[in-house]
């Protein structure tokens, strides 16, 4: 059983979809603390001037230090502009002239209009819908809905891995800085570091390629079928689990 674990970021970048595509189970890490000014409720898209711009979901800052990603709420409509209309207007303004706008926009619109007080629900819906469009079909598990025993950093990932029956855990490259490899080995869970090199693709408006935008930019430019090929080109070889050799595709 191959798993990966990641926070349900908003409009994720290419690397997350690459990692999910290699896993049989994707554990959505929504039980950890919400982090202000990170990618949990916002991300970057290509602006009309060829420069990146932020887009996101406004969240309630009250008692935010005590909230997890799963329990952080969206700002009430009465306390801000109609953010859904502004959000969708921004997407339209930035991407309506792109070749695959009519394929991508309905997914974004459908997810943004979900009736929920929790921003995480919108993020998860977007991730699932985009994965489906990319023909990526893992089993989804929310960490907030399983009893993995808690933990922090290395212990957190190991406890979740054991809880969901993982034989292999796909980690991002930063895991090298904090994972206790001996504890994973002792538990019989192999660790694979998914080193991802951001591929380039044709981008409208920008004279030089802009990396690390939301994958929405890729989808709008190339469509889902070609987008998946680009996403998977960031590390081109397969991992041979039988021979325990690291090399991804």
């Amino acid at each position: 059983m191959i798993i990966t674990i990641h926070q349900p970021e908003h409009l994720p970048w290419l690397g997350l979809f690459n990692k999910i595509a290699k896993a049989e189970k994707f554990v959505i890490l929504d039980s950890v603390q919400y982090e202000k000014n990170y990618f949990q409720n916002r991300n970057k898209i290509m602006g009309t001037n060829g420069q990146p711009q932020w887009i996101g979901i406004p969240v309630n800052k009250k008692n935010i230090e005590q909230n997890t990603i799963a329990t952080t709420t969206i700002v009430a409509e009465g306390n801000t502009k109609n953010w859904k209309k502004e959000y969708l207007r921004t997407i339209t303004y930035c991407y309506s002239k792109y070749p695959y706008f009519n394929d991508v926009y309905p997914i974004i619109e459908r997810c943004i209009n979900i009736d929920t007080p929790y921003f995480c629900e919108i993020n998860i819906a977007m991730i699932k819908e985009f994965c489906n469009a990319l023909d990526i079909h893992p089993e989804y598990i929310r960490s907030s809905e399983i009893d993995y025993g808690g933990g922090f950093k290395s212990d957190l990932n190991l406890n979740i891995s054991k809880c969901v029956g993982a034989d292999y855990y796909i980690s991002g490259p930063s895991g090298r800085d904090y994972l206790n490899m001996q504890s994973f080995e002792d538990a019989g869970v192999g660790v694979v570091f998914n080193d991802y090199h951001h591929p380039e693709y044709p981008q409208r408006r920008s004279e030089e390629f802009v990396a690390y935008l939301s994958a929405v930019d890729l989808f709008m430019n190339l469509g889902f079928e070609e987008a998946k090929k680009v996403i998977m080109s960031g590390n081109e070889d397969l991992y041979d689990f039988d021979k325990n050799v690291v090399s991804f595709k």
Side-chain angles (χ1 to χ4, degrees):
M1 176 59 62
I2 308 165
I3 76 156
T4 194
I5 304 168
H6 206 282
Q7 295 178 11
E9 294 177 347
H10 187 64
L11 298 179
W13 76 302
L14 282 61
L16 178 57
F17 292 106
N18 177 278
K19 194 166 65 164
I20 296 172
K22 296 166 184 166
E24 295 167 273
K25 293 182 179 181
F26 171 38
V27 180
I28 300 168
L29 188 61
D30 62 346
S31 56
V32 296
Q33 185 175 349
Y34 172 80
E35 187 175 349
K36 185 179 178 182
N37 297 327
Y38 193 54
F39 293 98
Q40 293 166 348
N41 70 308
R42 64 176 190 164
N43 217 314
K44 291 181 179 181
I45 60 174
M46 181 69 79
T48 57
N49 62 353
Q51 297 297 319
Q53 71 175 64
W54 289 101
I55 189 170
I57 302 173
V59 298
N60 191 344
K61 302 299 195 300
K62 185 178 180 180
N63 300 322
I64 202 165
E65 294 80 7
Q66 285 77 49
N67 289 334
T68 64
I69 294 173
T71 60
T72 299
T73 58
I74 302 169
V75 168
E77 291 288 358
N79 296 332
T80 186
K81 294 184 295 185
N82 189 329
W83 73 267
K84 292 185 178 183
K85 289 183 179 179
E86 289 295 321
Y87 186 107
L88 294 173
R89 184 180 294 120
T90 298
I91 292 290
T92 301
Y93 189 59
C94 291
Y95 287 112
S96 62
K97 303 298 184 182
Y98 280 59
Y100 293 92
F101 175 81
N102 290 333
D103 294 334
V104 182
Y105 179 81
I107 294 175
I108 298 173
E109 181 182 38
R110 187 161 56 246
C111 294
I112 286 295
N113 283 322
I114 290 173
D115 185 15
T116 177
Y118 302 106
F119 85 94
C120 180
E121 301 295 336
I122 294 174
N123 287 4
I124 292 172
M126 283 184 171
I127 290 170
K128 288 182 176 180
E129 288 228 27
F130 285 139
C131 279
N132 188 59
L134 292 165
D135 196 25
I136 297 171
H137 306 286
E139 177 184 349
Y140 297 95
I141 301 170
R142 294 178 63 159
S143 65
S144 61
E145 296 177 351
I146 60 175
D147 184 10
Y148 59 87
F152 182 68
K153 287 199 172 182
S154 184
D155 290 340
L156 170 71
N157 289 287
L158 177 58
N159 289 343
I160 291 175
S161 297
K162 292 191 295 185
C163 182
V164 301
D167 296 305
Y168 292 94
Y169 163 53
I170 302 174
S171 169
S174 64
R176 292 188 176 92
D177 298 329
Y178 64 84
L179 291 181
N180 183 333
M181 299 301 292
Q182 187 62 54
S183 65
F184 275 83
E185 183 177 341
D186 292 345
V189 179
V191 177
V192 181
F193 295 104
N194 193 42
D195 294 308
Y196 191 72
H197 305 286
H198 200 301
E200 294 189 7
Y201 56 88
Q203 283 180 330
R204 293 169 64 98
R205 296 200 179 104
S206 180
E207 293 182 3
E208 295 184 3
F209 181 76
V210 180
Y212 303 104
L213 297 177
S214 163
V216 164
D217 186 72
L218 170 63
F219 304 155
M220 292 285 191
N221 277 286
L222 296 184
F224 291 111
E225 184 176 351
E226 289 302 311
K228 185 176 183 182
K229 296 176 184 177
V230 172
I231 287 169
M232 302 313 291
S233 71
N235 36 24
E236 295 182 346
D237 298 319
L238 283 173
Y239 180 78
D240 189 331
F241 289 97
D242 293 327
K243 296 181 180 179
N244 200 33
V245 175
V246 179
S247 69
F248 264 126
K249 195 170 198 174

